[in-house]
């Protein structure tokens, strides 16, 4: 039975609102005040017990400070709460309406008494609040230890130092300066080479009017450093620790997470693996050692539980890709729920090609990246490529425009990268030859040298045939990979189409002779058009001279040493990446209402939900909850649209009433394969790449890199000071 609000001119009832409703108090004095403020004469005749049993007031009639929300499901009033917010005039605009809750008309004497009582109550509350505040202040003062002048000076100095460190990291200032390496250095350059940018910025603060720093160093020796190298290193470590802790705290609050790594990053102290694309781990040692180091860093170092890891995605090409597969397999063996997936920031075909342990394939990927970067260096170079495209695409304006537009992007990251590379082969070679010839003397020596090296690589038949075979072999996974990075509905249908993809790959493998013949003919035709001779790789011929004297045919050679291993690798890798648990998780995207609607609400999440059953708050009620979830969206109002992504579904107000669905969607949101709204992984990838591009290897610093990549994270200087004092208190006091 619904509860109705007893206040005059209030028509709210519990079935129409999420508002809390409160009983009249049993205490006679408080109950009298409630009735008096309601201004209903008919309630004055009732006892407190009758009012408590039969009458309610909704939360709209109480000041927010009077209401306590003890939990998401329970709202209570303070012991002294009195209703004060009422509508006592709206009925006057409609004098002919009938009122069951008639408002009492007060006499002047009653009005005066009410005002006096309210004034007395306000004064008492104000005095009580002042007493409480004074008591709290005294308690806080007693708790805070008194600092000596030296301790205060140290804290102020650390605060200024951390402010400078954060500035250096966010603006990507190097610690050392790139001064000229000759005898013509100025005195200022010599000073910066010996003191570094940190001390220079401290001096700048002093010159800008920082009186504290000026007083601190007035008595210091002329050649004395403001901050020693050891202390600077400690400051950097604390800065990184505080920024990292701010991010990891968000991960712990979410409970579930996935591991994402990138390509190795070169620092002066060696190669490091980017973790979450934000932090760095030494990559020194064998795969087993690195895997154990990674697990230890995540658990003991950062306080995460690997039992809550639900996915892992590792980028890497060539030898790194092979090592990362071993590391991922070891983690998955120990933690089966940490499924291996591709990342949403890398096209599936590019991911597959990067991981192939074939020298020819890795050469193709490397040359394509160098070629793309070559034209990104200058708009003039891109214009030269556009001219070559126009020459070779005469009469086909549509193809010309497509090639020009795509070549201006980072086309090596596209799903159709190999199709595009084949179409660009002739224009690329023509353009490189033109730049190398340099008849108009437009290009400097470095550009012509780079153009010659790229042209030599492009004009190799092994490069041509490898590119063509990659284009054709990966054509069966292109649409599948594109859907994986599409909308949620596309990802759901992609998961259900994997069987067809594997069937196509098996069909090619079973009829490899036929398919390879067509692919090899295409490569020969392209090579002929570019005037490139068809031949077996020189290195292979040299190795075989001592063993065989029989001539080797190019077609059979590339079938055995290229097409066959490429097809075997693609088929096995697709099976490994899209394991049973991974597919079950992706098929649970039918929990998103838009996907349910597309399937006409005829979905069966129960068959796939077992994968995360142990992670749900109420697994026993999951079938009933899923049924209610479908019914809710199936019978929604016409004006209600279906949320089409995980993020939008989680933002819906009603999802909190479905705790299992809510938990399920939050777990799915952590999978690296899914491209979510406001994807932080993609942002981190761009920032990391920008840092590596802008910073020379000898100037890179892991601590500063973390500050630069995560510059959006708020920094609390006081927290950094406390962390420093807690960690290096003995060293600080001795300094």
């Amino acid at each position: 039975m619904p509860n109705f609000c007893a206040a005059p001119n209030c028509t709210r009832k519990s079935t129409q609102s999420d508002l809390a409703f409160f009983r009249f108090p049993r205490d006679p004095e408080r109950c009298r005040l409630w009735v008096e403020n309601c201004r209903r004469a008919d309630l004055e005749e009732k006892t407190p017990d009758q009012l408590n049993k039969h009458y309610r007031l909704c939360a709209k009639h109480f000041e927010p400070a009077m209401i306590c929300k003890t939990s998401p499901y329970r709202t209570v009033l303070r012991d002294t709460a009195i209703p004060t917010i009422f509508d006592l005039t709206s009925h006057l605009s409609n004098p002919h309406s009938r009122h069951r809750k008639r408002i009492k008309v007060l006499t002047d004497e009653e009005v005066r008494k009410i005002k006096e009582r309210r004034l007395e109550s306000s004064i008492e509350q104000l005095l009580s609040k002042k007493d409480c505040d004074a008591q709290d202040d005294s308690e806080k003062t007693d708790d805070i230890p008194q600092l000596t002048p030296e301790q205060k000076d140290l804290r102020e100095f650390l605060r200024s130092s951390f402010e400078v460190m954060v500035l250096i990291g966010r603006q990507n200032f190097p610690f050392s300066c790139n001064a000229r390496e000759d005898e013509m250095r100025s005195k200022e350059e010599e000073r910066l080479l010996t003191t570094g940018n940190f001390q220079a910025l401290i001096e700048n603060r002093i010159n800008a009017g920082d009186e504290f720093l000026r007083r601190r160093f007035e008595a210091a020796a002329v050649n004395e450093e403001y901050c020693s190298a050891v202390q600077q290193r400690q400051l950097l470590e604390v800065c990184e620790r505080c920024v990292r802790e701010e991010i990891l705290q968000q991960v712990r609050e979410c409970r579930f997470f996935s591991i994402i790594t990138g390509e190795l990053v070169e620092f002066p102290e060696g190669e490091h693996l980017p973790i979450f694309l934000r932090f760095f781990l030494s990559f020194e040692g064998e795969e087993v050692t690195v895997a154990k180091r990674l697990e230890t860093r995540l658990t003991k170092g950062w306080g995460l539980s690997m039992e809550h890891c639900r996915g892992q995605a590792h980028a890497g090409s060539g030898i790194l890709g092979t090592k990362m597969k071993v590391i991922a397999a070891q983690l998955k063996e120990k933690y089966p729920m940490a499924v291996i997936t591709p990342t949403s920031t890398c096209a599936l075909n590019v991911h597959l090609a990067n991981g192939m342990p074939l020298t020819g394939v890795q050469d193709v990927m490397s040359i394509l990246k160098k070629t793309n970067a070559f034209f990104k260096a200058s708009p003039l170079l891109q214009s030269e490529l556009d001219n070559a495209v126009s020459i070779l695409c005469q009469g086909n304006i549509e193809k010309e425009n497509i090639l020009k537009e795509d070549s201006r992007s980072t086309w090596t990251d596209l799903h159709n990268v190999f199709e595009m590379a084949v179409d660009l082969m002739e224009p690329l070679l023509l353009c490189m030859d033109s730049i190398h010839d340099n008849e108009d003397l437009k290009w400097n020596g470095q550009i012509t040298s780079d153009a010659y090296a790229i042209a030599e690589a492009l004009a190799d038949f092994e490069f041509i045939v490898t590119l063509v075979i990659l284009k054709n072999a990966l054509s069966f996974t292109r649409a599948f990979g594109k859907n994986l990075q599409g909308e949620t509905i596309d990802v759901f249908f992609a998961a259900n189409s994997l069987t067809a993809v594997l069937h196509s790959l098996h069909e090619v493998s079973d009829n490899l002779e036929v398919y390879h013949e067509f692919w090899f003919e295409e490569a020969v035709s392209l090579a002929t058009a570019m005037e490139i001779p068809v031949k077996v790789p020189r290195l292979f011929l040299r190795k075989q001279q001592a063993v065989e004297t029989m001539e080797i045919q190019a077609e059979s050679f590339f079938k055995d040493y290229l097409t066959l291993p490429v097809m075997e690798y693609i088929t096995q890798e697709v099976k490994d990446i899209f394991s049973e648990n991974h597919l079950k998780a992706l098929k649970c995207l039918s929990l998103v209402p838009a996907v349910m609607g597309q399937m006409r609400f005829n979905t069966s999440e129960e068959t796939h939900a077992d994968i995360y059953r142990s992670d749900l708050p109420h697994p026993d009620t999951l079938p009933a909850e899923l049924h209610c979830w479908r019914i809710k969206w199936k019978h929604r109002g016409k004006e209600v649209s279906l949320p089409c992504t995980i993020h939008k579904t989680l933002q819906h107000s009603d999802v909190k009433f479905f705790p299992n669905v809510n938990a399920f969607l939050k777990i799915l949101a952590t999978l690296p394969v899914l491209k979510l709204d406001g994807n932080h992984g993609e942002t981190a990838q761009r920032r990391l790449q920008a840092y590596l591009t802008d910073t020379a290897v000898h100037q890179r610093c892991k601590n500063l890199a973390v500050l630069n990549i995560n510059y959006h994270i708020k920094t609390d200087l006081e927290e950094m000071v406390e962390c420093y004092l807690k960690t290096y208190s003995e060293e600080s006091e001795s300094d």
Side-chain angles (χ1 to χ4, degrees):
M1 182 176 177
N3 293 317
F4 292 87
C5 183
N9 295 323
C10 183
T11 59
R12 298 182 184 90
K13 58 182 180 180
S14 58
T15 57
Q16 297 176 340
S17 172
D18 293 334
L19 281 176
F21 281 72
F22 306 108
R23 296 173 182 270
F24 276 66
R26 292 182 184 274
D27 178 66
E29 182 59 23
R30 280 189 65 211
C31 186
R32 184 182 64 78
L33 293 175
W34 280 43
V35 172
E36 187 178 274
N37 287 357
C38 282
R39 299 270 296 275
R40 283 186 56 181
D42 58 316
L43 298 184
E44 293 179 354
E45 303 172 355
K46 302 186 182 299
T47 65
D49 288 338
Q50 290 174 325
L51 292 169
N52 178 267
K53 185 175 182 180
H54 300 293
Y55 292 89
R56 312 282 191 276
L57 286 180
C58 70
K60 286 291 185 181
H61 304 292
F62 295 87
E63 295 288 347
M66 295 291 101
I67 300 174
C68 298
K69 197 170 183 65
T70 58
S71 75
Y73 309 103
R74 180 172 171 79
T75 304
V76 298
L77 287 175
R78 295 187 183 277
D79 293 339
T80 59
I82 303 295
T84 56
I85 305 172
F86 293 97
D87 175 14
L88 303 176
T89 59
S90 63
H91 66 286
L92 299 177
S93 60
N94 188 10
H96 300 292
S97 63
R98 298 178 59 187
H99 296 284
R100 181 175 60 84
K101 300 178 285 188
R102 294 190 179 277
I103 300 174
K104 178 183 177 181
V105 179
L106 301 178
T107 63
D108 293 341
E109 182 64 20
E110 289 174 329
V111 171
R112 185 183 63 79
K113 289 182 179 179
I114 290 175
K115 288 183 177 180
E116 289 178 355
R117 189 159 49 248
R118 288 181 178 174
L119 180 61
E120 291 175 359
S121 177
S122 299
I123 293 173
E124 289 177 359
Q125 291 179 3
L126 181 61
L127 292 175
S128 176
K129 184 176 185 302
K130 286 184 177 179
D131 292 340
C132 292
D133 291 344
Q135 184 177 356
D136 292 342
D137 291 341
S138 63
E139 291 177 357
K140 290 179 181 177
T141 304
D142 294 339
D143 293 339
I144 298 176
Q146 296 298 319
L147 299 177
T148 64
E150 292 78 8
Q151 290 174 328
K152 291 180 179 179
D153 286 351
L154 176 60
R155 285 175 176 270
E156 188 63 30
F157 169 68
L158 289 175
R159 192 180 188 283
S160 299
S161 300
F162 279 123
E163 194 170 355
V164 171
M165 282 296 184
V166 171
L167 174 66
I168 291 175
R170 287 181 172 176
Q171 299 300 323
N172 199 18
F173 294 152
F175 256 21
S176 60
C177 296
N178 290 324
R180 300 188 304 274
E181 297 183 0
D182 54 34
E183 299 180 357
M184 300 300 293
R185 294 189 186 121
S186 66
K187 292 183 178 180
E188 180 66 13
E189 287 176 331
E190 289 284 359
R191 186 184 65 80
L192 287 175
L193 279 172
T194 56
T195 62
N197 282 336
F198 176 78
Q199 186 161 337
L201 287 171
I202 290 288
E203 290 180 3
N204 185 68
R205 286 180 66 100
I206 294 175
N207 296 332
D210 192 321
E211 291 300 327
F212 169 78
L213 289 177
R214 182 185 298 277
R215 290 195 305 271
R216 180 179 176 86
F217 297 113
E218 273 181 349
V222 176
N223 295 328
E224 183 180 348
E225 291 184 332
Y226 294 153
C227 188
S228 66
V230 173
Q231 196 171 17
Q232 288 183 35
R233 189 161 54 249
Q234 293 172 348
L235 292 171
L236 283 172
E237 290 173 356
V238 170
C239 284
E240 179 189 355
R241 188 186 309 168
C242 290
V243 170
R244 184 176 63 239
E245 185 59 28
E246 184 71 22
I247 297 175
L248 293 178
Q249 184 59 35
Q250 300 175 16
V251 177
R252 297 188 197 103
E253 290 174 358
C254 295
R255 187 182 174 196
F256 299 104
F257 67 95
S258 291
I259 303 171
I260 301 177
T261 64
E263 294 280 357
L264 290 182
V265 176
E266 185 72 29
F267 286 102
E269 54 267 47
E271 292 182 324
H272 284 69
L273 184 70
I275 307 176
F276 302 136
L277 306 178
R278 298 177 183 275
F279 316 117
F280 303 96
L281 178 77
S282 173
F283 200 71
E284 184 180 358
E286 298 296 325
E287 292 88 337
V288 178
T289 305
V290 176
K292 184 177 292 186
R293 186 183 303 138
L294 174 59
E295 181 185 356
T296 303
R297 179 68 60 86
L298 290 170
T299 54
K300 296 181 180 179
W302 296 349
L304 300 177
S305 172
M306 284 298 295
E307 298 295 339
H308 295 155
C309 181
R310 292 294 171 265
Q312 50 176 324
H314 307 283
S317 56
I319 297 175
L320 173 63
T322 303
K323 288 186 175 182
M324 291 311 301
K325 285 178 185 175
V326 176
I327 294 172
Q330 289 183 350
L331 291 175
K332 189 173 184 296
E333 182 180 0
K334 193 170 182 179
Y335 306 100
M337 296 302 293
V339 297
I340 302 172
T341 78
T343 64
S344 62
T345 58
C346 179
L348 178 62
N349 278 0
V350 176
H351 175 81
L352 292 172
N354 280 336
M356 291 185 191
L358 300 173
T359 304
V361 174
Q362 293 308 312
D363 288 343
V364 167
M365 299 304 294
S366 176
I367 293 167
L368 291 181
K369 290 177 183 177
K370 289 179 182 177
T371 304
N372 186 239
F374 177 80
F375 289 105
K376 286 281 183 287
S378 169
L380 294 176
L381 293 171
Q382 183 64 51
S383 178
E384 194 75 16
L385 178 59
D386 290 345
N387 293 335
V389 171
S390 299
I391 293 173
L392 292 170
C393 292
Q394 290 181 358
N396 193 341
I397 298 177
E398 182 180 359
K399 181 179 179 180
E400 176 184 344
N401 292 335
I402 292 175
L403 288 178
K404 286 182 179 180
E405 182 179 354
D406 289 347
S407 65
R408 295 188 184 98
S409 65
T410 308
W411 50 271
T412 50
D413 294 337
L414 300 177
H415 294 280
N416 62 336
V417 53
F418 303 110
E419 288 82 351
M420 184 177 171
V422 169
D423 291 338
L424 276 174
M425 278 303 299
E426 292 184 73
L428 282 173
L429 189 57
L430 177 63
C431 178
M432 293 299 176
D433 288 342
S434 174
I435 293 173
H436 175 250
D437 290 342
N438 201 16
E439 294 179 354
D440 299 332
L441 302 178
K442 291 169 57 179
W443 316 108
N444 61 37
Q446 184 63 52
I447 291 178
T448 56
S449 176
D450 291 343
Y452 176 76
I454 294 175
E456 286 294 298
L458 297 177
D460 183 9
F461 180 72
E462 184 181 6
F463 178 89
I464 298 290
V465 70
T466 304
L467 181 62
V468 171
I469 288 175
L470 285 175
K471 183 200 83 167
N472 289 284
L474 291 171
S475 64
F476 301 100
T477 57
R478 184 177 67 248
F480 174 75
K482 189 174 182 180
N483 286 335
L484 280 178
Q485 294 186 355
E487 300 296 331
T488 307
I489 185 69
D490 299 324
V491 180
F492 175 76
F493 284 124
N496 288 277
S497 68
L498 181 65
T499 303
V501 173
L502 289 173
H503 177 76
S504 299
L505 293 174
H506 285 303
E507 182 184 353
V508 174
S509 299
D510 294 341
N511 300 278
L512 194 66
E513 293 275 355
V514 178
Y515 281 94
H516 175 73
E517 182 179 351
F518 284 111
W519 298 350
F520 188 77
E521 286 181 4
E522 181 183 352
V524 171
S525 299
L526 179 60
T528 303
M530 299 171 64
E531 300 179 348
I532 297 173
V534 177
K535 59 181 181 180
V536 176
R538 179 181 58 82
L539 287 177
F540 180 82
L541 289 175
R542 189 176 64 183
K543 292 178 181 179
Q544 295 298 315
Q545 283 178 354
V547 181
E548 300 178 5
T549 57
M550 185 175 62
E551 184 179 358
I552 301 173
Q553 297 298 319
E555 182 175 349
S556 60
F557 167 80
F558 285 111
K559 184 195 74 172
D560 295 335
Y561 290 93
L562 183 61
T563 306
L564 178 60
V566 164
M567 289 306 305
E568 289 177 346
Y569 176 86
I570 294 174
T571 305
Q572 189 59 47
E573 187 69 6
V574 169
K575 290 179 180 178
D576 292 343
I577 293 177
F578 298 97
S579 61
E580 182 181 359
N581 283 347
H582 188 188
L583 284 180
K584 281 185 176 181
L586 294 181
K587 289 178 180 179
C588 285
L589 288 173
S590 57
L591 289 170
V592 176
V595 179
M596 295 169 61
Q598 189 73 21
M599 301 294 293
R600 300 186 180 279
F601 300 96
N602 185 24
T603 56
S604 56
E605 294 83 7
E606 294 90 340
T607 58
H608 312 301
D610 286 343
I611 179 177
Y612 297 132
R613 178 172 287 273
S614 60
D615 299 330
L616 303 180
H618 308 290
D620 295 338
T621 63
L622 180 61
E625 186 176 316
L626 291 177
H627 176 73
C628 294
W629 180 251
R630 282 193 293 270
I631 295 299
K632 168 188 167 47
W633 294 107
K634 184 176 182 179
H635 298 290
R636 72 193 186 283
K638 293 183 179 179
E639 71 283 356
V640 179
S641 59
L642 294 173
C644 57
T645 66
I646 293 177
H647 178 74
K648 290 180 179 178
T649 306
L650 289 172
Q651 295 299 311
H652 200 278
S653 59
D654 287 347
V655 76
K656 62 185 178 183
F657 300 113
F658 299 87
N660 288 319
V661 173
N662 189 26
F664 220 118
L665 291 173
K666 287 182 178 179
I667 296 172
L668 291 176
T670 66
L671 294 181
V673 69
L674 298 179
K675 198 167 189 174
L676 303 176
D677 300 342
N679 195 337
H680 296 298
E682 190 171 347
T683 304
Q685 177 70 47
R686 289 199 302 268
R687 291 175 179 173
L688 173 60
Q689 194 56 49
Y691 175 82
L692 298 178
T693 302
D694 298 339
T695 313
V697 173
H698 70 279
Q699 290 183 340
R700 292 175 186 170
C701 170
K702 291 184 296 179
N703 313 108
L704 292 179
V706 171
L707 289 175
N708 184 261
I709 296 168
N710 302 288
Y711 68 83
H712 64 293
I713 298 297
K714 292 182 180 180
T715 53
D716 188 337
L717 298 179
E718 296 299 333
E719 181 183 345
M720 290 181 177
V721 171
E722 293 296 334
C723 180
Y724 182 92
L725 292 175
K726 184 177 180 180
T727 308
Y728 305 108
S729 56
E730 295 181 0
E731 292 88 343
S732 299
E733 291 172 3
S734 62
D735 290 344

